[in-house]
Amino acid sequence: MKSYKSDSATPVMKGGRVAVVGGGNVAMDAARTALRMGAEKVSIIYRRSMEELPARREEVEHAMEEGIEFRLLCNPIEILPHTFPNDPKNPLNNFVRGIKCIQMQLGEPDEKGRRRPVPIENSEFIIDVDTVIMSIGTSPNPLIKNTTEGLNVNSKGGIIVNGDGLTSRAYVYAGGDAVTGAATVISAMGAGKKAAEAIDLAIKGKAQA
Ligand SMILES: Cc1cc2nc3c(=O)[nH]c(=O)nc-3n(C[C@H](O)[C@H](O)[C@H](O)COP(=O)(O)OP(=O)(O)OC[C@H]3O[C@@H](n4cnc5c(N)ncnc54)[C@H](O)[C@@H]3O)c2cc1C
């Protein structure tokens, strides 16, 4: 989509004020990367407190050291766009101007023992930002599932494979996050290696038949 061009419909955004929603390792990574790419200010927005923050401690410490702001007990409820009804060609039209949040407090523990965040009534406020990065988990893109007949997926959209990475379609293999859901580089590489061996054997077997 030519996003490297600043006048494209979806240009790569750099600099400005950035909000990162989420409190995991990926959120810390996104926040620190945004800062290193020239953001003026980066805020992590997380709906629970520091105690429940799921990122590894050292990731949090490094983010703090680098100057990331932590907005805790803070839940986003709306992303606000710039709107210029009388100037529809204004390049800022529909670009982010802020994020509306509500202050939270911790209530009773949920089934996992983590205290549930509860919104405080009438505590909404706006943080002025130019970019919002959602960092609250990923799931496999449904495009492949929707366009590939006979490809079985589980309830979370992950492609179902056997121990060799073979899917429900003959000679079609899968591995990594598309199978397991969000995981790690090393497990994706492992799955790729295993599938490569199985593909090699399958091709040799086919050639011999
Ligand atoms: C910000 C961030 C930080 C992370 N930090 C770490 C970390 O420090 N350590 C760690 O171990 N893991 C980390 N992870 C997780 C790690 O990146 C993933 O687990 C890993 O990349 C999964 O590898 P993959 O090959 O399964 O998928 P991906 O790396 O997502 O690769 C999938 C590829 O398939 C392409 N694709 C998608 N659909 C199609 C299609 N229809 N046709 C063709 N190509 C297609 C995509 O463009 C992409 O290139 C991080 C993730 C994020 C988002």
Side-chain angles (χ1 to χ4, degrees):
M1 293 176 73
K2 297 190 166 45
S3 59
Y4 55 88
K5 290 186 167 178
S6 59
D7 61 348
S8 75
T10 57
V12 173
M13 300 293 293
K14 280 191 203 167
R17 299 152 302 173
V18 177
V20 179
V21 179
N25 291 327
V26 166
M28 301 305 133
D29 192 351
R32 292 169 68 191
T33 303
L35 199 64
R36 289 175 200 190
M37 286 178 75
E40 167 189 320
K41 183 175 180 185
V42 183
S43 312
I44 295 260
I45 297 182
Y46 178 60
R47 64 193 180 135
R48 291 183 158 100
S49 75
M50 187 56 91
E51 225 163 277
E52 293 82 22
L53 201 97
R56 291 205 324 255
R57 279 306 97 179
E58 59 268 40
E59 295 270 358
V60 177
E61 279 163 24
H62 292 159
M64 283 176 163
E65 258 171 37
E66 243 174 285
I68 307 294
E69 177 189 52
F70 282 73
R71 295 262 191 164
L72 303 169
L73 291 165
C74 175
N75 202 22
I77 49 177
E78 191 180 351
I79 295 174
L80 306 166
H82 283 286
T83 43
F84 304 95
N86 300 325
D87 182 13
K89 289 206 170 141
N90 190 312
L92 277 180
N93 232 335
N94 293 325
F95 273 61
V96 172
R97 75 171 162 86
I99 184 163
K100 191 194 245 186
C101 299
I102 188 160
Q103 203 64 53
M104 309 294 279
Q105 61 189 346
L106 292 179
E108 293 301 311
D110 60 16
E111 56 287 347
K112 285 183 185 160
R114 284 202 311 177
R115 291 181 66 194
R116 211 184 292 269
V118 186
I120 300 175
E121 239 177 89
N122 299 321
S123 65
E124 292 89 348
F125 62 100
I126 292 168
I127 307 175
D128 294 331
V129 289
D130 310 293
T131 300
V132 176
I133 300 175
M134 300 305 282
S135 187
I136 49 175
T138 55
S139 54
N141 187 326
L143 183 73
I144 294 176
K145 168 194 85 170
N146 293 343
T147 53
T148 312
E149 217 174 293
L151 186 75
N152 292 343
V153 298
N154 62 29
S155 59
K156 289 181 175 162
I159 300 170
I160 297 172
V161 295
N162 72 6
D164 290 334
L166 179 65
T167 68
S168 50
R169 286 273 304 254
Y171 295 103
V172 176
Y173 293 75
D177 285 8
V179 167
T180 55
T184 61
V185 170
I186 200 121
S187 62
M189 288 171 71
K193 206 169 162 188
K194 211 181 248 182
E197 282 170 357
I199 291 167
D200 198 34
L201 284 175
I203 292 170
K204 281 178 186 153
K206 201 179 182 196
Q208 277 167 10

